[in-house]
């Protein structure tokens, strides 16, 4: 069975996902592409042999499953349309930029009675994060107390804002913290101090986020977007009996002439390629195996995870403005999200 996929949004991520689904994901074929920029849609459609659709609604009607990779503010409309049409939908982060918009998505999915939404928090599929979680869950380092994380981007375009360091960059670390410890974040503090000389005027880079988990575990996240030297992702969990950290590099380390060399990825598509491949493979597999069963058509991060991440980002933005600790208040978790996603915490 081939799952016919439509991709809405043919920018960097939309194109990458379309190529990945077409070239590297067995059982999937991208048959439709839509973008507000018709030329961009045509270029990606030509690369994967798909048809261009002028309207997202028509695209959704014509396919088995939908990828939403358009600008964040448009996600709500497309995800709601996919739910209304009963189509599984993979939505890039954010699920939606405001908590109210995420609420509407949760309400629609709850009314549909079946989980159809998967959110693109790909780090949950990264072999290094999975190995780290296996150690934490397995108990080898004892009860977790702290997590240290660093998320450094080499550079960003000039339309990137200080707020986006929270909502676009640190949002991944927010999701990792919730997933790693399987609990919610209850408060967020964001500090910004000395500013990098490479940042544009008025830009608050780097930022330090402190996430307080429900059990009291503290997570600090250094988020920065002008590191220059490459895309650098770090993580370490400190437990009562030991620590576990992400390995420094998935590639080879060359030692010669008194120095050790290893490649540093340039950006996130390179760093997380394996994770992107795995998340799409899992998504297509669950659609293929459950389409006719009435089971949920999601795997990994759900709409609830998207909602919780956005709620934490809203608290983070308030904290960035106020310079103080902001509480995260979540709505009661609907029953639909109370059973674990199929592969949560399970390395694959
Ligand atoms: C980008 O949108 C991503 O999702 C990347 O993973 C993140 O590292 C980057 O900061 C974001 O801008």
């Amino acid at each position: 069975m081939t799952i016919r996929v439509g991709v809405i949004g043919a920018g960097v991520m939309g194109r990458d996902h379309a190529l990945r689904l077409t070239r590297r994901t067995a059982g999937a074929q991208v048959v439709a592409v839509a973008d507000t920029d018709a030329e961009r849609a045509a270029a990606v459609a030509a690369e994967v042999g798909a048809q261009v659709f002028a309207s997202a609604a028509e695209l959704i009607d014509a396919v088995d499953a939908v990828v939403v990779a358009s600008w964040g503010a448009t996600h709500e409309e497309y995800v709601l349309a996919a739910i209304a049409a009963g189509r599984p939908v993979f939505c890039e982060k954010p699920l939606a930029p405001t908590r109210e918009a995420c609420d509407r998505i949760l309400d629609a999915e709850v009314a549909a009675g079946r989980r159809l939404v998967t959110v693109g928090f790909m780090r949950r599929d990264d072999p290094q994060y999975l190995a780290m979680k296996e150690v934490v869950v397995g108990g080898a380092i004892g009860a977790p107390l702290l997590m240290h994380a660093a998320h450094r981007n080499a550079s960003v375009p000039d339309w990137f804002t200080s707020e986006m360091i929270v909502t676009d960059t640190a949002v991944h670390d927010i999701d990792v913290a919730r997933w790693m410890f399987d609990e919610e974040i209850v408060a967020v503090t964001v500090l910004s101090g000395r500013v990098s000389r490479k940042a544009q005027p008025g830009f608050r880079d780097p930022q330090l986020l402190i996430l307080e988990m429900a059990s009291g575990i503290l997570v600090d996240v250094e988020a920065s977007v002008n590191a220059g030297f490459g895309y650098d992702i770090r993580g370490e969990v400190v437990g009562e009996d030991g620590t576990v950290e992400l390995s420094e590099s998935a590639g080879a380390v060359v030692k010669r002439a008194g120095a050790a060399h290893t490649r540093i990825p340039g950006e996130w598509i390179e760093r997380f390629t394996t994770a992107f491949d795995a998340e799409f493979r899992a998504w297509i597999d669950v659609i293929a195996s459950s389409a006719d069963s009435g089971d949920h058509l999601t795997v990994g991060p759900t709409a609830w995870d998207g909602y919780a991440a956005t709620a934490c980002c809203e608290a983070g933005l308030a904290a960035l403005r106020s310079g103080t600790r902001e509480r995260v208040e979540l709505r009661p978790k609907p029953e639909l999200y109370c059973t674990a996603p199929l592969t949560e915490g399970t390395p694959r």
Side-chain angles (χ1 to χ4, degrees):
M1 173 181 186
T2 298
I3 306 297
R4 293 166 313 127
V5 182
V7 176
I8 302 175
V12 175
M13 292 314 296
R15 174 175 180 268
D16 197 60
H17 292 338
L19 294 177
R20 164 171 295 103
L21 281 161
T22 303
R23 296 179 184 166
R24 295 211 289 277
T25 314
Q29 192 185 345
V30 174
V31 295
V33 177
D35 194 292
T36 47
D37 178 336
E39 265 179 43
R40 203 157 69 162
V44 172
E47 277 187 283
V48 296
Q51 189 185 336
V52 175
F53 280 73
S55 119
E58 283 169 22
L59 173 144
I60 291 169
D61 261 356
V63 298
D64 303 317
V66 182
V67 171
V68 175
S70 50
W71 190 241
T74 63
H75 289 184
E76 178 189 3
E77 178 190 341
Y78 302 140
V79 171
L80 287 176
I83 295 172
R87 301 286 188 274
V89 52
F90 178 100
C91 181
E92 258 308 324
K93 57 87 197 162
L95 174 60
T98 66
R99 178 201 296 252
E100 290 72 24
C102 292
D103 268 331
R104 290 188 284 272
I105 293 172
L106 291 182
D107 292 342
E109 209 182 25
V110 168
R114 189 182 195 193
R115 291 202 309 240
L116 293 165
V117 179
T118 300
V119 182
F121 286 125
M122 75 294 186
R123 291 187 182 193
R124 296 182 182 209
D125 286 296
D126 177 66
Q128 295 180 39
Y129 275 105
L130 283 165
M132 190 181 194
K133 178 159 176 170
E134 206 177 339
V135 171
V136 172
V137 172
I141 61 164
L145 304 170
L146 300 164
M147 179 169 180
H148 306 297
H151 185 160
R152 304 181 182 126
N153 284 241
S155 63
V156 278
D158 49 9
W159 44 260
F160 207 89
T161 63
S162 299
E163 288 73 23
M164 288 173 75
I165 294 185
V166 175
T167 59
D168 209 55
T169 300
V171 64
H172 285 289
D173 304 276
I174 286 170
D175 181 65
V176 162
R178 295 182 58 257
W179 168 76
M180 182 66 66
F181 303 118
D182 199 16
E183 57 183 271
E184 297 296 352
I185 294 167
V186 296
V188 181
T189 306
V190 182
L191 304 173
S192 72
R194 183 173 187 179
V195 171
S196 163
R197 70 174 161 75
K198 294 190 224 145
Q200 313 141 25
F203 199 78
R204 297 165 75 180
D205 177 28
Q207 295 175 19
L208 193 59
L209 285 78
I210 312 290
L211 313 175
E212 295 174 45
M213 311 303 297
S215 67
I217 298 170
L218 296 178
V219 178
D220 61 81
V221 182
E222 172 207 318
S224 69
V225 295
N226 283 291
F229 63 86
Y231 186 72
D232 192 25
I233 300 299
R234 307 274 180 107
E236 179 183 29
V237 176
V238 179
E240 283 175 344
D241 300 323
T243 67
V244 55
E245 59 196 278
L246 296 176
S247 50
E248 192 47 25
S249 155
V253 180
V254 178
K255 293 181 182 170
R256 62 180 291 275
H261 298 272
T262 185
R263 176 163 169 77
I264 301 172
E267 38 64 41
W268 62 90
I269 294 181
E270 179 182 351
R271 166 64 181 81
F272 287 110
T273 285
T274 314
F276 286 123
D277 286 351
E279 72 175 346
F280 276 100
R281 222 174 16 247
W283 185 60
I284 291 298
D285 285 352
V286 82
I287 297 170
S289 60
S290 307
D292 300 325
S293 69
D295 281 354
H296 300 312
L297 293 179
T298 58
V299 63
T302 63
W304 174 261
D305 296 312
Y307 159 82
T310 293
C312 292
C313 286
E314 283 192 351
L317 292 180
L320 183 64
R321 284 190 296 270
S322 68
T324 58
R325 171 182 188 271
E326 300 285 344
R327 288 198 62 81
V328 180
E329 309 285 355
L330 300 181
R331 67 188 260 180
K333 190 170 182 175
E335 191 55 38
L336 187 69
Y337 305 104
C338 289
T339 51
L342 292 177
T343 59
E344 191 165 79
T346 314
R348 55 170 177 252

